[in-house]
């Protein structure tokens, strides 16, 4: 797919200047936007993957109060890190495990200094292409154009870029000014999060791209489908979190005592077999340990947090 398949404006400099000026004049204040510390930015990126940004602020600040440096996190007890994740409802607990392991890699493999390019950052545990590029952009100003759901929506509406990943990547890369990934990626994501949400606020948010925007001109604000987060209530994620919380409170628990602490209707179809399956997931993720014990001729399966 070539640039001829969409309609980027001829005056790219004007488009870039308008967006950056709009962002610098007024944008949402998040503390991780005020730092270029790669550790602090990595923590914010991992936390933001499943949590609204407003809620991330409190968790991010509390996390950094407890583990202020990558060395402090690397030296932490993993069970404590996972417990923090659960206590702050930050989504899948294995992200806490990966963050802890990534900190250990930075300390042991990189002498405490973060790698600076998206390619190198992907060597860290749990750091995929998007997170690596975000850290490279915001910490080192050395990233590529970020393409997330919000950015896709902006490009689709403003410049009629087709709903195709390769097209979005190409258009985003063409628009981003060289060597300015920090301010540009912040600005274009802010545009998608403030002015060009599912329900657009073009005039209310003073969108800087109105004069070029195809959707604003035509009134057609359709956009690619946005995946919705499955309901947390009653989900497997919720029950995984309850297991971790219970095992954090008690050093270990037999399944007969753990089950009722995970769900009030424990038993039947949601009984021991269901709980063993849930624990098997957590064991594969390296979060819990499960052991079969014999005591006075009676056997019991016991679970505890892995340390």
């Amino acid at each position: 797919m070539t640039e001829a398949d969409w309609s980027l404006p001829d005056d790219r400099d004007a488009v870039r200047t308008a967006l950056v000026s709009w962002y610098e004049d007024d944008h949402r204040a998040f503390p991780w936007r005020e730092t270029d510390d790669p550790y602090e930015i990595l923590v914010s990126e991992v936390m933001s993957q499943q949590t609204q940004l407003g809620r991330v602020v409190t968790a991010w600040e509390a996390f950094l109060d407890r583990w202020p440096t990558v060395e402090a996190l690397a030296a932490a007890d993993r069970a404590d890190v996972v417990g923090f994740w659960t206590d702050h409802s930050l989504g899948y607990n294995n992200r806490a495990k990966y963050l802890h392991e990534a900190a250990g890699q930075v300390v042991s493999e990189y002498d405490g200094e973060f790698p600076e390019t998206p390619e190198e950052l992907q060597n860290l545990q749990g750091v995929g292409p998007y997170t690596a590029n975000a850290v490279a952009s915001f910490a080192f100003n050395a990233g590529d154009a970020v393409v997330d759901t919000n950015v896709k929506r902006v490009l689709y509406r403003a410049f009629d870029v087709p709903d195709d990943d390769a097209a979005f990547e190409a258009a985003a890369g063409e628009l981003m000014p060289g060597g300015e990934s920090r301010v540009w990626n912040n600005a274009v994501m802010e545009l998608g999060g403030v002015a060009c949400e599912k329900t657009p606020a073009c005039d209310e948010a003073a969108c800087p791209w109105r004069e070029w925007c195809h959707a604003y001109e035509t009134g057609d604000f359709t956009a690619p489908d946005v995946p919705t987060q499955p309901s947390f209530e009653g989900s497997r994620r919720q029950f995984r979190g309850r297991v971790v919380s219970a095992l954090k409170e008690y050093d270990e628990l037999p399944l007969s005592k753990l089950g009722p602490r995970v769900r009030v209707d424990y038993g039947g179809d949601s009984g021991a077999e269901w709980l063993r399956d849930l624990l098997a997931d957590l064991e594969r993720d390296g979060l819990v340990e499960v052991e079969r014990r014999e005591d006075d001729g009676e056997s019991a399966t016991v679970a505890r947090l892995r340390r």
Side-chain angles (χ1 to χ4, degrees), residues 155-212:
L155 296 176
Y156 184 93
R157 286 174 173 166
F159 307 125
D160 208 22
V161 177
D163 185 8
D164 175 85
D165 285 347
F168 286 131
E169 294 281 351
E174 176 64 26
L175 279 171
M176 189 182 80
E180 296 185 32
S181 61
R182 179 182 291 127
V183 66
W184 179 263
N185 285 330
N186 269 320
V188 74
M189 288 193 295
E190 183 78 353
L191 186 66
V194 171
C196 201
E197 296 181 276
K198 288 184 180 179
T199 300
C202 314
D203 296 323
E204 300 91 324
C207 174
W209 282 355
R210 283 171 290 178
E211 67 177 277
W212 300 285

Side-chain angles (χ1 to χ4, degrees), residues 243-256:
V243 168
V244 172
S245 293
L247 295 180
K248 182 185 175 188
E249 183 178 355
Y250 300 88
D251 286 340
E252 60 183 33
L253 282 171
L255 267 59
S256 59

